[in-house]
């Protein structure tokens, strides 16, 4: 047993944890962050069955501000709004959080990343709901509200639209598009007004970080994958920017780089949903 556990102090969470690693952790706040691009209700899915004790977190209401074409579909909430949301969910500043969904972490990863950049102890459940073999329930959890202080978003964690453009033009920075290859190449665009990618970006689809059961590849495999694109050593991710369609699934690439020991890249929150509403150039190769 680790010294910190013997001393009664729980170890900090890595960016990704397995269901088995949660055994004995009665201090964890479990968060169900199911959300679907096709418009299905994440809350209805939660009511059909969720991990026992898990609360439901709404991507649109709790983890995003109201989106406009000028800002993208899922801009970050203000620091004040996010603190209020956490408090309403019963999550205080010292409560460790483990989040999950049933779509490879696409939505849950956003919550984990948001918390981790604030220095809050948080992790993604590897494999999501499908990896859970413990108790489940259908009754909703209604947490008691708590006070959660406002913590300013660290500017170093983000890139804006100009920063993303500069990253694509700077050979010292790796700009990563986390969407599927078909959207990156401009072969299809199901949501945004025009296809393509930000010039200079390389494509590292977030789903390719996962195995057939939706679990993350090991750290060595992830290091090799990002190393092939120029993020080779510890700290290299600090010179990387990652984006996706609307700043949600990109957080999974960010967590993967952190899991690989490469550091934490910036996330361009506006992502393609913002870029594609401008007259800025796009790449399709």
């Amino acid at each position: 047993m680790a010294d910190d556990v013997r001393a009664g102090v729980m170890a900090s969470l890595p960016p990704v944890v397995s269901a088995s690693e949660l055994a004995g952790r009665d201090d964890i706040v479990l968060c169900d962050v199911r959300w679907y691009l096709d418009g299905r209700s994440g809350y209805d899915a939660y009511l059909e069955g969720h991990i026992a004790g898990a609360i439901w977190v709404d991507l649109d209401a709790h983890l995003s501000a109201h989106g406009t074409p000028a800002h993208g579909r899922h801009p970050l909430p203000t620091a004040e709004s996010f603190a209020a949301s956490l408090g309403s969910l019963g999550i205080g500043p010292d409560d460790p959080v483990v989040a999950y969904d049933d779509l490879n972490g696409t939505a849950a990863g956003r919550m984990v990343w948001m918390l981790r950049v604030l220095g809050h102890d948080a992790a993604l459940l590897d494999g999501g709901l499908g990896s859970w073999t413990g108790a489940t329930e259908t009754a909703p959890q209604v947490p008691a509200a708590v006070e959660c202080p406002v913590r300013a978003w660290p500017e170093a964690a983000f890139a804006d639209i100009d920063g993303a453009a500069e990253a694509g033009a700077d050979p010292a920075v790796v700009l990563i598009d986390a969407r599927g290859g078909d959207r990156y190449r401009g072969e299809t665009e199901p949501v945004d007004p025009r296809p393509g990618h930000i010039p200079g970006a390389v494509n590292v689809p977030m789903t390719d970080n996962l195995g057939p059961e939706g679990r993350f590849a090991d750290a060595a495999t992830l290091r090799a994958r990002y190393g092939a694109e120029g993020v080779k050593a510890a700290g290299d991710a600090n010179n990387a920017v990652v984006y996706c369609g609307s700043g949600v699934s990109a957080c999974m690439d960010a967590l993967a780089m952190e899991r690989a020991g490469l550091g934490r890249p910036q996330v361009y929150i506006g992502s393609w949903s913002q870029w594609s509403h401008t007259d800025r150039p796009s790449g399709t190769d």
Side-chain angles (χ1 to χ4, degrees), residues 27-50:
D27 61 326
I28 296 289
V29 179
L30 285 164
C31 294
D32 187 311
V33 198
R34 277 181 277 181
W35 176 89
Y36 305 103
L37 187 62
D38 61 12
R40 286 178 290 151
S41 169
Y43 187 62
D44 285 350
Y46 170 79
L47 293 178
E48 290 171 4
H50 53 268

Side-chain angles (χ1 to χ4, degrees), residues 6-31:
R6 282 200 301 267
V9 178
M10 293 294 186
S12 295
L13 293 167
V16 181
V17 296
S18 67
S20 62
E21 289 176 292
L22 298 183
R25 291 290 302 257
D26 57 4
D27 61 326
I28 296 289
V29 179
L30 285 164
C31 294

Side-chain angles (χ1 to χ4, degrees), residues 174-284:
V174 182
L175 178 63
I176 295 173
D177 187 319
R179 298 174 299 163
D182 55 346
R183 291 184 71 187
Y184 169 81
R185 293 186 296 272
E187 296 167 1
T188 182
E189 182 44 67
V191 184
D192 294 313
R194 59 189 173 104
H197 60 263
I198 299 173
V202 297
N203 189 210
V204 187
M206 76 91 176
T207 51
D208 289 354
N209 291 324
L210 310 173
E213 295 182 348
R215 289 180 171 84
F216 268 91
D218 59 43
T221 299
L222 293 172
R223 281 195 296 273
R225 187 159 186 258
Y226 288 99
E229 303 297 345
V231 185
K232 300 177 182 294
D236 278 3
N238 300 335
N239 290 319
V241 175
V242 63
Y243 75 94
C244 57
S246 66
V248 176
S249 61
C251 297
M252 285 287 282
D253 261 15
L255 293 177
M257 281 183 264
E258 191 176 353
R259 173 179 170 85
L262 297 170
R264 183 181 292 155
Q266 290 185 318
V267 172
Y268 167 35
I269 294 293
S271 285
W272 190 249
S273 63
Q274 181 185 39
W275 187 282
S276 62
H277 278 91
T278 72
D279 59 1
R280 293 173 183 254
S282 63
T284 54

Side-chain angles (χ1 to χ4, degrees), residues 1 3 23 30 32-33 64 103 105 109 111 113 117 169 208 245 255:
M1 183 181 296
D3 290 342
L30 285 164
D32 187 311
V33 198
S64 307
L103 283 179
M111 182 178 193
W113 176 82
V117 300
D208 289 354
L255 293 177

